[in-house]
């Protein structure tokens, strides 16, 4: 053994220990990682000078509320359920100290400004209702409050200038539904199919144009996702200035470019036929248990263009070198195209926000049954313009119209096939009947010369050749009653 080896090993071990010690020490001097920084900042923040700007904590907010409840000498109702005739705390926020005080504290070592809150109160249950602002402090244990309303605004703030609380919005909504809308049931039902849930409203501001006003226009929309771009043309001006909700009233109504005194006058004008209701399309629809989806009295802009458009039959003829396949001639109407209408899945079979309708039928039983959500109706942007033109000759301009259509759809499942039936209504008066076939292919056992009758879809599975024939009835009444109808047919061949 080399006598120098132990010394070499000792020196090597010492060097390794020295290197590891340096690495550990240098790691300890590194700046904290991103994950650790918030904890350091949080720890330092509790004693830092920046606390003077910190928002009120939940505990401080609760202390202010308790102080006001016990020291104002008047009952305070929770703002979330307060009526206009109640007293309530509208809001509590940090009262930021004056800049001069803060700078003396930050830059000159002066005393820390007292931590205070600014509370806005609505006093509706007073001989002279008003809005008052109090500074409450010191926090976290309030011991005083002072009225700063006159100092800030040069006088008392009249009650009608208060901002609307969420509770007042809800109260006006209830007034519209239970009082205003109740005066025009026929108009709302026939024009909007109003059911108490399918209309949303947005309030306009300001709430009047003269001192003392508290009158707000409520604009009505379809209650769908993104309702802001789905106005229905009806707007209602509500006078909600009285502290007594029972004295609120409709001051004016605007519908489709025309003003009315109130909802009663609007209802009367509609019932008497003096209101023009704009619908691009109108039609009656139903489901024949045998033939499927059918439409009647189809009108475009009030003019009948067809008396009936309906599905009549779906025929399929198959070929195969197996006896079952070669003899197959399906007439789906004999099974019941309407009978086998299947429920529609939101977001897959139809857009999620489509309108869905149940279908009732009686077949193969003495008791009627229901197919839930078997019809859907929706608007759809086809993704290409109905018309457009971009001019770069002599003058520059662009004009175009979104190709938005109205679709009514049902889906029939008969055996292996699912038929998606669409009637599509275009803005220019065109109507399209459309069917899509999906589901599973019909098959035979693949043997011999089977490939003459279709395609191999698995090792011993033949997708059999077949042809679909779809038949519609079309009874047009363009320009008057035609008294005649014709059948429209389409064919699709599938291997």
């Amino acid at each position: 053994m080399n006598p120098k080896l132990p010394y070499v090993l000792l020196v090597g071990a010492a060097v390794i220990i020295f290197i590891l010690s340096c690495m550990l020490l240098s790691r300890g001097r590194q700046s904290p990682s991103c994950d650790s920084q918030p904890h350091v900042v949080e720890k330092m923040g509790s004693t830092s000078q920046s606390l003077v700007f910190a928002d009120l904590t939940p505990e401080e907010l609760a202390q202010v509320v308790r102080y006001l409840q016990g020291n104002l000498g008047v009952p305070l109702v929770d703002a979330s359920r307060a009526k206009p005739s109640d007293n309530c705390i509208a809001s509590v926020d940090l009262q930021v100290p004056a800049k001069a005080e803060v700078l003396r504290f930050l830059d000159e070592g002066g005393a820390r400004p007292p931590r205070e809150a600014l509370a806005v109160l609505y006093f509706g249950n007073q001989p002279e209702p008003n809005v008052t602002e109090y500074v409450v402090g010191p926090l976290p244990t309030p011991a005083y409050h002072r009225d700063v309303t006159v100092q800030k605004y040069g006088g008392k703030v009249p009650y009608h200038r208060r901002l609307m609380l969420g509770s007042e919005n809800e109260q006006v909504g209830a007034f519209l539904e239970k009082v205003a809308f109740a005066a025009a049931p026929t108009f709302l039902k026939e024009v909007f199919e109003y059911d108490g849930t399918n209309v949303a409203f947005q309030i306009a501001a300001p709430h009047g144009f003269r001192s003392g006003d508290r009158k707000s226009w409520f604009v009505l929309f379809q209650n769908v996702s993104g309702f802001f771009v789905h106005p229905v043309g009806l707007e209602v001006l509500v006078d909600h200035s009285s502290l007594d909700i029972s004295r609120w009233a409709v001051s004016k109504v605007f519908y489709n470019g025309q003003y009315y005194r109130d909802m009663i006058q609007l209802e009367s004008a509609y019932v008497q036929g003096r209101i023009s209701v704009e619908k691009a399309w109108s039609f009656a629809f139903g489901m024949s248990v045998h033939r499927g989806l059918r439409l009647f009295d189809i009108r475009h802009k009030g003019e009948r263009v067809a008396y009936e458009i309906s599905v009549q039959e779906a025929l399929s003829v198959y070929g195969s070198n197996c006896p079952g396949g070669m003899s197959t001639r399906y007439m789906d109407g004999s099974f019941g195209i309407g009978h086998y209408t299947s429920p529609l899945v939101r977001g897959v079979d139809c857009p999620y926000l489509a309108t869905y309708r149940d279908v009732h039928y009686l077949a193969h039983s003495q008791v009627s049954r229901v197919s839930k959500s078997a019809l859907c109706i929706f608007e759809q942007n086809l993704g290409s313009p109905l018309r457009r033109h971009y001019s770069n000759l002599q003058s520059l301009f662009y004009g175009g119209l979104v190709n938005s259509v109205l679709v009514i759809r049902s889906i029939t499942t008969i055996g292996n096939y699912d038929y998606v039936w669409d009637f599509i209504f275009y803005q220019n008066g065109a109507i399209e009947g459309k069917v899509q076939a999906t589901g599973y292919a019909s098959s035979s056992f693949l043997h011999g010369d089977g490939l003459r009758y279709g395609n191999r879809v698995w090792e011993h599975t033949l997708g059999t050749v077949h042809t679909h024939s779809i038949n519609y009835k079309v009874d047009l009444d363009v320009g008057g009653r035609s008294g005649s109808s014709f059948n429209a047919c389409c064919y699709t061949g599938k291997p």
Side-chain angles (χ1 to χ4, degrees), residues 4 14 17 22 25 98 122 199 201 203 221 239 245 273 344 350 425 443 446 477:
K4 296 182 179 180
I17 293 172
C22 291
L25 290 172
Y122 294 172
V199 169
F201 65 83
I203 187 171
F221 300 82
D239 183 347
I245 295 177
L344 302 173
C350 300
F425 301 87
S443 68
L446 177 58
D477 277 352

Side-chain angles (χ1 to χ4, degrees), residues 292-346:
L293 186 58
R294 55 189 178 185
L295 310 179
F296 294 97
D297 194 22
I298 301 131
R299 298 171 183 258
H300 181 252
K301 295 185 176 179
E303 179 181 353
R304 182 184 297 117
V305 294
Y307 176 75
E308 178 183 357
I309 301 179
S310 58
V311 178
Q312 294 292 298
E313 185 58 272
L315 172 71
S316 53
V317 180
Y318 285 79
S320 172
N321 64 344
C322 295
M326 70 175 65
S327 62
T328 297
R329 308 287 187 270
Y330 286 135
M331 296 183 68
D332 291 333
S334 65
F335 300 106
I337 296 175
H339 176 204
Y340 288 103
T341 295
S342 58
L344 302 173
V345 177
R346 287 180 181 267

Side-chain angles (χ1 to χ4, degrees), residues 404-416:
S404 180
V405 297
L406 179 68
V407 181
I408 180 169
R409 172 178 294 170
S410 69
I411 301 181
T412 302
T413 302
I414 300 179
N416 58 301

Side-chain angles (χ1 to χ4, degrees), residues 60-356:
E60 289 173 326
L61 291 169
Q63 287 282 7
V64 172
V65 170
R66 282 193 289 269
Y67 173 84
L68 292 172
Q69 289 173 331
N71 290 273
L72 295 184
V74 296
L76 296 176
V77 177
D78 190 314
S80 64
R81 53 185 174 82
K83 300 188 293 293
S85 56
D86 290 328
N87 305 321
C88 69
I89 302 171
S91 65
V92 177
D93 201 356
L94 172 71
Q95 172 69 7
V96 179
K99 180 179 179 180
E101 294 182 61
V102 173
L103 293 181
R104 277 196 297 270
F105 167 62
L106 295 178
D107 300 342
E108 302 171 14
R112 179 191 299 273
R115 188 159 167 79
E116 297 175 322
L118 178 66
V120 179
L121 282 88
Y122 294 172
F123 289 114
N125 187 12
Q126 297 282 338
E128 294 185 16
N130 64 88
V131 178
T132 300
E133 295 190 5
Y134 292 109
V135 168
V136 181
L139 299 178
T141 307
Y144 61 82
H145 64 279
R146 63 179 183 274
D147 187 340
V148 295
T149 312
V150 175
Q151 174 187 341
K152 289 181 65 175
Y153 302 105
K156 292 185 177 180
V157 177
Y159 198 54
H160 67 264
R161 293 184 184 173
R162 70 191 185 281
L163 301 177
M164 283 188 69
L165 297 172
S167 57
E168 187 174 0
N169 268 309
E170 294 173 1
Q171 290 152 7
V172 176
F175 168 80
L176 286 172
E177 180 180 348
K178 298 177 181 178
V179 180
F181 290 173
T186 306
F187 169 81
L188 291 169
K189 181 64 177 178
E190 296 185 2
V191 177
F192 303 134
E193 298 184 357
Y194 178 68
D195 61 5
T197 64
N198 60 349
V199 169
F201 65 83
Q202 184 177 19
I203 187 171
H207 309 299
F209 298 96
R210 296 180 302 179
S211 180
D213 279 354
R214 199 168 182 80
K215 297 180 180 180
S216 306
W217 280 104
F218 288 84
V219 183
L220 276 68
F221 300 82
Q222 298 177 41
N223 190 15
V224 297
S225 178
F227 70 85
F228 306 99
V229 292
H230 295 278
V232 299
L234 178 63
E235 303 182 13
V236 182
L237 180 63
V238 177
D239 183 347
H240 50 117
S241 56
S242 176
L243 303 191
D244 183 352
I245 295 177
S246 66
R247 297 180 63 184
W248 288 359
V250 173
S251 297
K252 195 172 293 184
V253 174
F254 177 84
Y255 176 68
N256 200 18
Q258 182 69 41
Y259 286 95
Y260 300 89
R261 181 180 62 253
D262 50 27
M263 294 297 288
I264 296 174
Q265 187 184 31
L266 176 66
E267 173 82 352
S268 177
Y270 176 75
V271 171
Q272 295 173 22
R274 293 186 286 108
I275 289 183
S276 173
V277 178
E278 292 294 335
K279 293 186 176 180
W281 286 99
S282 68
F283 50 83
F285 60 89
M287 182 71 70
S288 166
V289 68
H290 295 293
R291 303 188 185 280
L293 186 58
R294 55 189 178 185
L295 310 179
F296 294 97
D297 194 22
I298 301 131
R299 298 171 183 258
H300 181 252
K301 295 185 176 179
E303 179 181 353
R304 182 184 297 117
V305 294
Y307 176 75
E308 178 183 357
I309 301 179
S310 58
V311 178
Q312 294 292 298
E313 185 58 272
L315 172 71
S316 53
V317 180
Y318 285 79
S320 172
N321 64 344
C322 295
M326 70 175 65
S327 62
T328 297
R329 308 287 187 270
Y330 286 135
M331 296 183 68
D332 291 333
S334 65
F335 300 106
I337 296 175
H339 176 204
Y340 288 103
T341 295
S342 58
L344 302 173
V345 177
R346 287 180 181 267
V348 181
D349 295 330
C350 300
Y352 190 86
L353 293 175
T355 297
Y356 293 82

